[in-house]
Amino acid sequence: MNNPAQWPKKGIQQRTLYLIAIYSIFLGLLYSLVIVAYAWVVEDNIFNRLVNNEAVYLKEVYKSSGEITTPRLQFIQLYGSRSALPGNIPVLLEQDPERVEFVLDRGPTLHIKPVILGELEMVLVADISAYEVSTDFLPEVTIWLSLMLVLLVVLGLLLAFWVSSYTLKPLQSLAYAISRSKQQPISPGFARAYPKDEIGYLAKTFEDTLLYKQVILKRESDFTRDISHELRTPLSVLRNIISKVAGTGRISLMEIERLQKSSSEMQRTISTLLALARQESLERQEVSLLFVLEKSILNHVQASPDSLLTFELQVSAEEKVRANENLLLHLFTNLIENADHYASDHKLSIKFSQGNLHFSNKIDEIQQKLIKDPFTESAKNKHSSGLGQGLYLVKRICEMCSWQARYQCAQSRFEIIIRT
């Protein structure tokens, strides 16, 4: 789904428009019903108030003169009792004595008001049929309300479209970027391009997840490439010796030493590659440089008791770096093994100064001419039996520690400089 044209047709924006349209129609209809109901209530209350005023007028006249007068308004009549009321109003009043409005069959609409004049209970009846305007204007009001409903829906849809477009644009951009992450991997800081809201939080979550996935895939790819590259030479040595032994049935002391050397190198290489591939190798803490260096030297002495390599340390016990101790141990082990193979005077100088860690040893002129770029994968010379001057894994470890490694080779002296 890398192409936006392949995205689902019923997306969030379309569903939002549907919901806003339904809400607008519901709101418009509810508003129209309220207006019509309000008009009817107001009209009924006007008629009720007119009838009540007439009832008060009749009571005042009767109180002052003792006479029963006729209503002032022509559409209001005075009946002598409830039983004298027209139609089935008497029956309806027995069922609901509080009722004031009645609609006769195919007849007028009447409002009634009981009036007590002395000992007589009379009834005022108002025929309001000729004065009702809500029914007459209902068709025109319906047209206007319908137009208002349409306008409300259109405005609601336009507003919803603008709001959803503004809101969903970064979300669509995020979805498109993630869908293309296989072809175009994201880089750190990817989430900064998105607003600092829920979408930004989602982008940051995707960034962390995808970057973590990319790191894992890169470690897997590097591990596959490295194990193929670094183990090729010792495996070739083992195969050659095994083929010779299989043919002659004998093995020389030199070949036994080569077997041991290849086996030791394979073990060290596999250990380093596994350390680079582990997730816990990314965890860092403050570690003492001198402590890890001394541990590496002791491991080398125990693993290679016949080694003639000596060490000159210029590292203070207070010097500390932020790194993974296991990776640091592998880094120093590889550098020490490298010096053991190539130091012409069997002496390795290790110094820490101004944040730089220096490993230096003398080499012969032939070695110096053969060295080009020891940090590349293909930097092994024809005399190499393993890592040798091909310090690719050293560079890999430095990169994982966020350090920088470089080398100097002059005047028969080879030096690795690591910026911590």
Side-chain angles (χ1 to χ4, degrees), residues 228-247:
S228 172
H229 173 263
E230 298 297 332
L231 297 182
R232 185 182 301 117
T233 300
L235 283 175
S236 298
V237 172
L238 292 176
R239 283 198 301 267
N240 291 337
I241 294 176
I242 291 172
S243 299
K244 183 176 180 181
V245 171

Side-chain angles (χ1 to χ4, degrees), residues 23-43:
Y23 175 75
S24 299
I25 293 173
F26 172 77
L27 187 64
L29 291 175
L30 182 62
Y31 177 73
S32 301
L33 291 175
V34 170
I35 289 180
V36 173
Y38 178 75
W40 283 337
V41 169
V42 169
E43 188 177 64

